[in-house]
Amino acid sequence: MGSLACSGGSAMLLGSMGLWWLPGEGLFNAEGFGIVPLTFPPSKCLWTLQPRPGHTDQESEEQQQFRNIFRQIAGDDMEICADELKNVLNTVVNKHKDLKTQGFTLESCRSMIALMDTDGSGRLNLQEFHHLWKKIKAWQKIFKHYDTDHSGTINSYEMRNAVNDAGFHLNSQLYDIITMRYADKHMNIDFDSFICCFVRLEGMFRAFNAFDKDGDGIIKLNVLEWLQLTMYA
């Protein structure tokens, strides 16, 4: 197994194992899509994996680490498909024992790609994946804030507040629809359902705004435009 050494305030890759640091998640084995436990003394090395706020060199190091792990996952074409995205996200989420989840489905990952796929390739490039990752981490923070009993789920009432905190301002009818669509029989919403809901909301708001040229909150669509709006969301 490879080892990590510290030099000049940054982490370096040694050996042949292929370990990289995924921002906010720690060490990541890109070849096997596995989270690698930290076995070295934290006082000696762990601090170097975290970028210091406002430090340009450290931020550049983080970006380089992100590019390296993405290249390991994506291969030479530097793009990932829904299957590859599913493997990565489920590996990371399964590390978080405080999140109740059955794992992201392939269909959920297709929706995530549709949300971030700005070039219409059906895959995510580095920039698109990075943008998605930042959104998931931000939504995860909201989820944990409202999971006050640490059950790994939030109830339908907490979901309303979480949706509002994320910047989606809905009416009561839409909140009821979200509950019917994403909650279980106990009216609780687990993490993957939570993320899928937010991906759907983000995609629909974004698509609507693209059609709302004058910003008056009203759009007029023919049937083909409607299908285009909804089928790839």
Side-chain angles (χ1 to χ4, degrees):
M1 180 174 179
S3 60
L4 283 167
C6 299
S7 174
S10 63
M12 297 188 301
L13 180 69
L14 298 180
S16 59
M17 192 61 183
L19 302 182
W20 303 104
W21 172 58
L22 192 60
E25 295 298 336
L27 290 178
F28 192 86
N29 177 355
E31 293 178 353
F33 301 115
I35 297 298
V36 180
L38 298 177
T39 56
F40 47 85
S43 61
K44 294 183 179 180
C45 194
L46 182 59
W47 66 272
T48 64
L49 296 175
Q50 297 291 346
R52 292 181 300 222
H55 195 284
T56 303
D57 291 339
Q58 290 296 316
E59 289 172 358
S60 296
E61 179 71 16
E62 176 179 329
Q63 292 170 359
Q64 184 61 47
Q65 295 280 8
F66 207 96
R67 180 181 296 275
N68 287 335
I69 190 173
F70 186 83
R71 182 180 291 111
Q72 292 275 345
I73 299 166
D76 294 338
D77 62 357
M78 286 296 284
E79 290 185 330
I80 59 174
C81 64
D83 286 294
E84 292 166 328
L85 180 62
K86 177 175 176 284
N87 287 337
V88 174
L89 293 181
N90 284 338
T91 296
V92 173
V93 169
N94 288 337
K95 190 196 76 165
H96 291 271
K97 302 305 180 184
D98 55 339
L99 297 176
K100 184 178 180 181
T101 174
Q102 296 179 357
F104 291 101
T105 65
L106 185 60
E107 186 59 34
S108 298
C109 292
R110 285 172 177 158
S111 295
M112 294 181 198
I113 287 180
L115 173 65
M116 296 299 171
D117 181 21
T118 57
D119 58 5
S121 66
R123 301 163 70 88
L124 295 184
N125 60 33
L126 174 63
Q127 184 177 8
E128 292 165 343
F129 178 66
H130 197 192
H131 190 194
L132 173 63
W133 182 255
K134 289 194 294 184
K135 281 191 173 296
I136 290 176
K137 294 300 291 183
W139 293 337
Q140 179 190 23
K141 185 176 181 180
I142 294 173
F143 183 89
K144 287 188 172 183
H145 174 74
Y146 284 102
D147 180 22
T148 53
D149 59 357
H150 306 292
S151 65
T153 64
I154 61 175
N155 62 39
S156 56
Y157 178 77
E158 293 167 332
M159 183 64 170
R160 294 187 177 212
N161 293 328
V163 167
N164 190 69
D165 280 4
F168 305 116
H169 305 299
L170 311 178
N171 58 25
S172 296
Q173 184 180 6
L174 284 169
Y175 285 125
D176 291 340
I177 290 173
I178 286 175
T179 300
M180 287 188 292
R181 174 66 177 82
Y182 294 101
D184 62 18
K185 62 182 179 181
H186 303 295
M187 307 297 285
N188 293 322
I189 299 170
D190 63 15
F191 182 67
D192 47 307
S193 296
F194 177 87
I195 294 297
C196 289
C197 176
F198 276 36
V199 166
R200 184 74 172 180
L201 285 170
E202 177 88 8
M204 296 305 291
F205 269 100
R206 182 181 298 181
F208 183 93
N209 291 333
F211 282 100
D212 185 17
K213 303 298 184 182
D214 56 6
D216 64 353
I218 299 173
I219 62 175
K220 182 179 180 180
L221 304 177
N222 61 40
V223 64
L224 293 180
E225 289 172 329
W226 168 251
L227 290 172
Q228 179 184 349
L229 175 65
T230 57
M231 286 298 292
Y232 194 50

